[in-house]
Amino acid sequence: MKNLVLLLLITLSFTIGLNAQYKPKNKKKQFYGNQRIQMPLYRWVTGDYARNGIQFSFGPTYTFTKTGVSEGEHSIISSSSGADSLLIYNQEAKGRLGAFVEIGMVHITKKPRKLLHYYDWGVGFKLYGGREITNTNVYDNRDTLIGSLEGEGKFYNGYLYGRFSAHNVFQINPHFFLDNALGVNLDYSIMRGNMEYDGYRAPTEQKFQEDLMAQLHYALGLGIKPYADKGFFFIPSIEVPFLGLHEWNGGTPAIHWFSSKYYPAMLRLKFVWLFKKDPNRCPPVEINSTDRQHIKNQKSK
């Protein structure tokens, strides 16, 4: 997780530096009717394209784990001889690659806003997995090593999910923008993973995640719009949950499985196609502030 956070900070610093070189000509024209290439990418909603569109996302998933090995010991007293044995074990959790696919819609806000520039939602399927490895040494009552035991547990959980995210856009130049998103996802397991060990498992407490998960997540991506006159752009991004709402485990977004915790992350590649406007639809009439106030005064009479 530390490496992932470091990567996000480096990306943010780099894009802020690039943004200092991008100075749009006219802030008002950016948002209303300016078809030039300097228009912010997320605001490309005039001309032939509407503010709504379809989005398709896919990519790999991965589960991060705490680094290092956890150690412990357990005593066993033989009922026949009365002699005791000592088990000294260590456990290590490892992440596994998975994948996801999603389809949904994008909705760009009608008016310029400081924080919310567009929002999107989607439904899909994702696969999270993990491994837990245990090595155990067995000692007799004279602290003599009499044997070693090994075991491993592996799982993949498959979730149907729904997601909603609100996005803020930070313009870099006419073809690139930094995309920040906060959102919520609701996941339901339709493919529950393996709960058994292959080999010996140390007598540690186990916890298995419930079928339903609800999380808050954050995503950081780089938006790319190849063509100024097309309603298409795509965004590669990193998405991680930062707060687990259900099942409640002190707020941790980790998936509990076996005796370990697995922190999920997604590398998302999202493609967006804005819908074309109806050519027979009359364009909206722009009203200046003086006329708008006059209309308001007439309504209040």
Side-chain angles (χ1 to χ4, degrees):
M1 290 299 291
K2 291 182 179 179
N3 293 335
L4 183 60
V5 172
L6 181 59
L7 177 61
L8 296 178
L9 292 176
I10 292 174
T11 305
L12 179 61
S13 300
F14 176 72
T15 52
I16 290 175
L18 289 177
N19 188 68
Q21 302 175 9
Y22 175 61
K23 296 180 179 180
K25 294 182 179 180
N26 187 303
K27 192 171 182 180
K28 185 175 181 180
K29 286 185 178 180
Q30 285 181 324
F31 297 113
Y32 299 105
N34 185 359
Q35 298 298 303
R36 295 179 181 178
I37 195 169
Q38 68 263 22
M39 178 182 292
L41 308 181
Y42 64 87
R43 196 57 65 179
W44 194 173
V45 296
T46 55
D48 296 333
Y49 296 93
R51 291 187 300 272
N52 304 309
I54 191 169
Q55 66 91 6
F56 175 73
S57 305
F58 69 93
T61 66
Y62 190 74
T63 48
F64 291 88
T65 60
K66 292 183 178 179
T67 57
V69 177
S70 60
E71 299 178 345
E73 59 182 47
H74 182 73
S75 297
I76 299 177
I77 300 177
S78 174
S79 58
S80 58
S81 64
D84 62 339
S85 300
L86 180 65
L87 306 178
I88 297 180
Y89 59 85
N90 60 66
Q91 287 182 331
E92 184 178 9
K94 294 181 177 292
R96 300 182 78 182
L97 279 171
F100 80 97
V101 62
E102 174 189 306
I103 190 167
M105 293 191 68
V106 169
H107 308 277
I108 299 174
T109 55
K110 186 174 182 180
K111 295 181 179 179
R113 302 180 187 276
K114 292 183 178 180
L115 295 178
L116 176 61
H117 297 140
Y118 78 93
Y119 58 92
D120 67 346
W121 58 268
V123 294
F125 175 81
K126 58 188 173 185
L127 199 64
Y128 288 137
R131 298 168 58 203
E132 185 180 274
I133 303 170
T134 301
N135 295 300
T136 306
N137 291 329
V138 184
Y139 297 85
D140 62 16
N141 55 357
R142 285 179 277 185
D143 293 333
T144 301
L145 179 64
I146 59 175
S148 297
L149 302 169
E150 295 182 352
E152 181 181 19
K154 297 188 291 185
F155 74 96
Y156 271 116
N157 289 347
Y159 297 91
L160 281 178
Y161 74 92
R163 173 192 64 82
F164 176 87
S165 301
H167 295 256
N168 173 269
V169 171
F170 190 76
Q171 199 74 23
I172 299 172
N173 62 36
H175 290 282
F176 298 95
F177 60 89
L178 184 67
D179 188 291
N180 292 274
L182 288 175
V184 59
N185 56 278
L186 189 66
D187 310 345
Y188 186 78
S189 175
I190 60 170
M191 191 179 80
R192 198 161 174 83
N194 179 37
M195 299 183 184
E196 301 296 331
Y197 248 58
D198 181 13
Y200 177 78
R201 184 189 68 82
T204 55
E205 182 181 357
Q206 294 190 100
K207 180 178 176 62
F208 297 94
Q209 197 80 23
E210 292 182 3
D211 288 338
L212 183 65
M213 285 199 310
Q215 300 167 321
L216 297 182
H217 61 256
Y218 169 73
L220 175 63
L222 179 66
I224 302 170
K225 191 171 191 300
Y227 309 105
D229 59 345
K230 303 293 183 182
F232 167 76
F233 57 90
F234 63 95
I235 306 172
S237 63
I238 297 174
E239 182 179 309
V240 293
F242 62 88
L243 180 64
L245 302 176
H246 183 84
E247 138 190 27
W248 182 258
N249 292 303
T252 175
I255 298 172
H256 291 72
W257 212 261
F258 300 123
S259 301
S260 303
K261 298 177 182 178
Y262 304 87
Y263 298 86
M266 308 171 78
L267 183 60
R268 178 184 296 273
L269 181 58
K270 179 170 68 178
F271 297 90
V272 177
W273 294 268
L274 297 179
F275 296 134
K276 278 201 169 186
K277 289 182 178 179
D278 183 354
N280 299 320
R281 179 174 176 265
C282 295
V285 179
E286 293 190 12
I287 302 175
N288 58 40
S289 58
T290 302
D291 293 338
R292 189 180 297 110
Q293 184 63 41
H294 177 71
I295 294 172
K296 185 177 180 181
N297 293 338
Q298 291 296 322
K299 289 182 178 180
S300 62
K301 290 181 179 180

